[in-house]
Amino acid sequence: MIEILRYVNLSVNATGILVILVIIICLSMGENKTDRMNKLFIRGLFACILYMLSEALSWMLKGNSDMIWALRITNDLVFLSGYLILITFTTYLLSYLSDRQSAPGWVMPFIYSVSAAGLLLMLANRFTGIIYTIDRSGYYQRGSLILLS
């Protein structure tokens, strides 16, 4: 069953990456290719590609006890790229809203704080396993504070 899930996940993420690349190419060729909002949106799309690529690699490495170090890196990238997506799309949304009305000034500092806390949790996880661990057989196990991530 895990093999089927592995290849389904890889296929879904690969398809998502290809779709996003097509969107990026179209946005880069359009009339507004130098527009600030367009550039912010493309940055968010690249963050999504990083997330999907990390997720796909994590699934491919699951159960491989010889590649535990690579599985740790890809799992960390999954968590960290989630925070990058949060930052890039919040920046995009606030820029969009501020063109129409003033956006609250506390939002971005709050998002940066949440992301910094997530980064600190990931660093702490290296030594404690509070978010996740990788067992000896190369499988991901959730930690007690997974909901904080």
Side-chain angles (χ1 to χ4, degrees):
M1 183 66 172
I2 192 81
E3 288 300 315
I4 293 171
L5 286 175
R6 181 186 321 254
Y7 290 110
V8 166
N9 192 284
L10 178 65
S11 300
V12 168
N13 281 300
T15 303
I17 289 170
L18 289 175
V19 168
I20 289 175
L21 285 173
V22 168
I23 292 169
I24 289 172
I25 290 168
C26 291
L27 288 172
S28 298
M29 294 171 59
E31 295 175 5
N32 299 328
K33 61 184 172 191
T34 58
D35 182 49
R36 179 175 178 269
M37 294 298 293
N38 196 34
K39 289 179 180 178
L40 284 172
F41 190 69
I42 289 173
R43 286 182 194 145
L45 291 176
F46 276 118
C48 289
I49 288 175
L50 177 63
Y51 178 86
M52 285 189 268
L53 187 60
S54 303
E55 178 76 14
L57 289 172
S58 290
W59 271 94
M60 291 310 294
L61 293 169
K62 271 184 188 170
N64 188 346
S65 59
D66 296 332
M67 299 291 287
I68 290 176
W69 61 272
L71 183 56
R72 284 191 179 118
I73 291 170
T74 58
N75 272 321
D76 285 350
L77 282 174
V78 167
F79 282 98
L80 296 176
S81 60
Y83 295 118
L84 185 60
I85 291 169
L86 177 68
I87 290 169
T88 56
F89 280 114
T90 303
T91 303
Y92 174 81
L93 180 62
L94 287 179
S95 294
Y96 177 80
L97 292 175
S98 67
D99 286 346
R100 283 135 185 85
Q101 63 187 24
S102 66
W106 59 268
V107 176
M108 281 315 294
F110 175 74
I111 295 299
Y112 287 136
S113 299
V114 168
S115 298
L119 178 63
L120 290 175
L121 271 173
M122 290 308 300
L123 289 173
N125 185 65
R126 279 284 127 237
F127 306 104
T128 62
I130 57 175
I131 297 176
Y132 76 89
T133 58
I134 307 290
D135 64 21
R136 290 183 185 182
S137 59
Y139 285 96
Y140 169 93
Q141 305 294 323
R142 291 182 175 177
S144 60
L145 297 180
I146 186 71
L147 294 178
L148 290 180
S149 62

